[in-house]
Amino acid sequence: MNTTIEVDDLVKKIVARVASELAREEAKPPTSVNQIVEAAVKAQRAWQWDFNLESRTRVISALKSKLLPHAEELAKIARDDTNMGRLDDKILKKKLAITKTPGPEYFTTRAISGDNGLILEELAPFGLIASITPSTNPVATVINNTICMLSGGNGVVFSPHPGALRCTFKTIDLIRGILAEEGAPVEVVSTLSDASLDSLKELMSHPDIKLISATGGPGVVRAALSSGKPAIGAGPGNPPVLVDETAHLEKAAKDVIAGASFDNNLPCIAEKELIAVNCIADELKDLMCHNGAYELKDRSKIDALVDLVLTKDHKIKKDMVGKDACVYLEKLGITPPPNVRLILVECDERHPFVQEELMMPILAMVRVADFKEGLAMAKRVEHGFRHSAIIHSTNIDNMSDMAKVMETSMFVKNAPSFASIGVGGDCPTAFTIGTTTGDGPTTPLSFCRLRRCVLHGAFRIV
Ligand code: NAD
């Protein structure tokens, strides 16, 4: 009878539907913090114990070579997602993170031998790391941290920035795809599925998280340092660039513009205020205006720019961060000159453009009588962040004095600030610079624990 067949079909359909729903449910990636951490811990143990140095090196090289063709795609997504920065510079940052982040080759073993035997000091993984990433370099930080952390045998759970979710998830998806292709446990690189502060707090306090790497503003660094866990605090900066009367002025002008306008001034290392010795200040300004800077002179326009980018209590307006220079000029009713990269504003030390970390291609310039006065000012306006400072000078004593007095993690002489992360320079790159905690530019070593292994009474050869 027809009715029986129909009921049978219906039952079969319901059973099939329920089975498929259950299968999909099982296939869903874990979403609770606890599930994510559990899976990541398992993967980290496999990565630490089952992947020897040779396999680890193979996987890291595959990550580098297979991510490189995606640099432009990731840069475009990051630009659209955050609505900040410059596409060409973003592509460069991705390439930098992929090609210049050091890998397992960075490790060395220290050996001490004496009358009583041999001591080996080696670096071992912390285990599972929570990494909190900023909106200003979301993709480059994920790539740089992944290579460094995995090189030492660690696993990582990222906490994405709420304003950079799409590009962060896309980068992590690509990384996990490559890990799967290479036979490595994919959950060794994991991410929270949302960017809420509650999830982040739960992650940081999870007993299986052994180290916190916090890259961002003062809030997140404070949160990481008060977690009671070991932490790398990569906090804010306000890097001054000082140009003295002995500098090669044309080069200094070009370098300051290149550094201060790089990715529209988003990087924490970028020149945030210019301190110029009075006798060269006018010439320096002229040279800058011939090389991509626009000087805003009209006082009422400067006040309008302050109102445009800062709140009444002089905090930055987040939606004004990292735009192209022409965007600010147009909003002020000024037709931007072609190829303008940077807006130059002469002001005094107390001006908020000097005091605040703007992260916009707007550079305040302050005059000083001489190098000594300039150095004292540079020290004050850096606010003790110990982040970055730059000098243009050919006076060795001035360069040396500034390096000592500033006590910053990065100090660049006669180059744009980005030389400190390897652009046009020889050093490795770092997108997590442990400024608050003193780790400095991080490398695979930064995410490891030092362990001493003592062999008593043997292996001293002579
Ligand atoms: P941000 O502080 O707004 O966000 C960074 C991360 O911290 C985000 O994931 C956010 O969700 C989280 N967060 C913010 N406040 C928090 C709190 N109170 N508790 C817990 N988590 C919190 O940073 P941003 O605006 O995206 O990035 C710019 C800042 O980061 C600048 O100050 C810049 O100098 C700094 N930065 C530093 C480095 C470095 O290596 N030292 C590198 C890049 C950026």
Side-chain angles (χ1 to χ4, degrees):
M1 163 83 190
N2 271 353
T3 331
T4 321
I5 295 168
E6 276 169 18
V7 172
D8 272 0
D9 279 352
L10 193 64
V11 171
K12 273 183 198 159
K13 273 184 190 161
I14 292 170
V15 171
R17 178 80 173 270
V18 170
S20 117
E21 285 295 317
L22 283 175
R24 273 173 51 193
E25 198 58 40
E26 272 170 23
K28 259 190 199 167
T31 49
S32 84
V33 174
N34 209 26
Q35 284 173 323
I36 293 165
V37 171
E38 257 176 38
V41 164
K42 232 169 108 188
Q44 186 276 324
R45 291 199 179 122
W47 177 245
Q48 179 178 358
W49 298 115
D50 304 341
F51 284 73
N52 63 13
L53 206 51
E54 192 185 338
S55 324
R56 231 183 256 171
T57 306
R58 176 183 53 76
V59 174
I60 302 283
S61 339
L63 270 179
K64 290 185 169 195
S65 61
K66 292 182 179 180
L67 278 175
L68 197 55
H70 295 280
E72 193 166 334
E73 176 197 359
L74 288 174
K76 280 188 184 142
I77 302 174
R79 175 73 190 80
D80 292 349
D81 205 5
T82 61
N83 208 10
M84 299 191 294
R86 299 175 67 94
L87 183 60
D88 47 354
D89 296 335
K90 288 208 175 292
I91 297 172
L92 182 60
K93 287 201 308 190
K94 294 353 157 225
K95 289 186 174 168
L96 195 63
I98 296 166
T99 59
K100 284 201 149 188
T101 299
E105 76 287 348
Y106 216 66
F107 289 100
T108 53
T109 300
R110 183 174 143 82
I112 307 161
S113 74
D115 292 338
N116 295 310
L118 177 71
I119 297 152
L120 294 180
E121 286 180 341
E122 281 195 308
L123 290 167
F126 264 91
L128 193 60
I129 301 172
S131 171
I132 305 138
T133 53
S135 59
T136 46
N137 313 312
V139 172
T141 307
V142 166
I143 296 172
N144 176 246
N145 280 184
T146 294
I147 295 172
C148 284
M149 291 168 182
L150 260 55
S151 291
N154 298 288
V156 53
V157 179
F158 285 105
S159 167
H161 192 284
L165 286 178
R166 207 159 68 85
C167 61
T168 309
F169 289 154
K170 175 72 187 170
T171 310
I172 293 167
D173 270 359
L174 281 172
I175 290 172
R176 287 165 66 118
I178 299 167
L179 291 174
E181 278 169 23
E182 297 301 316
V186 291
E187 281 94 359
V188 76
V189 177
S190 292
T191 177
L192 293 181
S193 48
D194 67 78
S196 71
L197 276 186
D198 283 347
S199 297
L200 176 54
K201 279 182 194 150
E202 198 182 334
L203 177 70
M204 289 200 291
S205 57
H206 196 290
D208 282 331
I209 291 294
K210 302 297 182 195
L211 175 73
I212 297 169
S213 172
T215 312
V220 67
V221 171
R222 247 193 324 273
L225 295 187
S226 50
S227 68
K229 303 222 170 147
I232 293 177
N238 195 35
V241 51
L242 175 51
V243 183
D244 78 10
E245 68 282 11
T246 71
H248 293 302
L249 287 187
E250 189 163 351
K251 180 174 173 357
K254 288 180 181 166
D255 284 356
V256 171
I257 291 169
S261 67
F262 184 62
D263 206 18
N264 284 341
N265 200 265
L266 291 179
C268 52
I269 51 160
E271 293 82 348
K272 297 281 188 296
E273 59 279 334
L274 165 62
I275 300 171
V277 172
N278 192 30
C279 62
I280 51 92
D282 287 327
E283 192 183 346
L284 180 67
K285 246 183 5 179
D286 275 357
L287 285 164
M288 288 179 74
C289 291
H290 281 101
N291 285 285
Y294 175 89
E295 188 187 0
L296 195 61
K297 292 183 184 157
D298 184 329
R299 278 291 129 195
S300 66
K301 293 281 186 202
I302 296 175
D303 291 344
L305 185 60
V306 171
D307 290 342
L308 179 67
V309 302
L310 298 176
T311 59
K312 290 247 170 322
D313 57 350
H314 290 164
K315 296 291 160 238
I316 52 165
K317 290 183 185 165
K318 292 252 163 142
D319 59 341
M320 281 291 128
V321 168
K323 307 291 176 219
D324 291 351
C326 60
V327 170
Y328 307 95
L329 292 174
E330 276 161 3
K331 283 189 188 292
L332 296 180
I334 298 166
T335 308
N339 304 323
V340 63
R341 282 187 70 106
L342 187 71
I343 302 169
L344 193 63
V345 179
E346 193 168 340
C347 47
D348 67 28
E349 183 185 344
R350 285 161 302 159
H351 196 279
F353 285 175
V354 177
Q355 298 294 330
E356 294 300 319
E357 185 194 23
L358 290 184
M359 296 180 284
M360 303 170 199
I362 299 170
L363 189 68
M365 185 185 117
V366 192
R367 287 171 195 257
V368 286
D370 54 25
F371 168 78
K372 198 168 161 229
E373 194 186 299
L375 178 54
M377 187 183 290
K379 181 75 180 168
R380 288 193 296 273
V381 301
E382 210 269 328
H383 303 311
F385 290 134
R386 294 180 167 196
H387 197 300
S388 296
I390 306 101
I391 187 170
H392 291 271
S393 172
T394 55
N395 181 319
I396 291 177
D397 292 336
N398 287 357
M399 290 191 270
S400 176
D401 284 354
M402 187 163 174
K404 280 186 208 152
V405 169
M406 293 306 296
E407 297 183 296
T408 47
S409 302
M410 308 293 222
F411 184 63
V412 175
K413 308 174 213 62
N414 298 325
S417 52
F418 49 57
S420 64
I421 54 165
V423 183
D426 301 315
C427 52
T429 203
F431 282 89
T432 292
I433 303 159
T435 48
T436 315
T437 43
D439 310 86
T442 50
T443 70
L445 316 185
S446 316
F447 303 101
C448 285
R449 306 169 61 225
L450 183 69
R451 294 172 65 187
R452 178 176 287 171
C453 190
V454 179
L455 175 65
H456 189 81
F459 279 97
R460 166 78 193 178
I461 311 297
V462 288

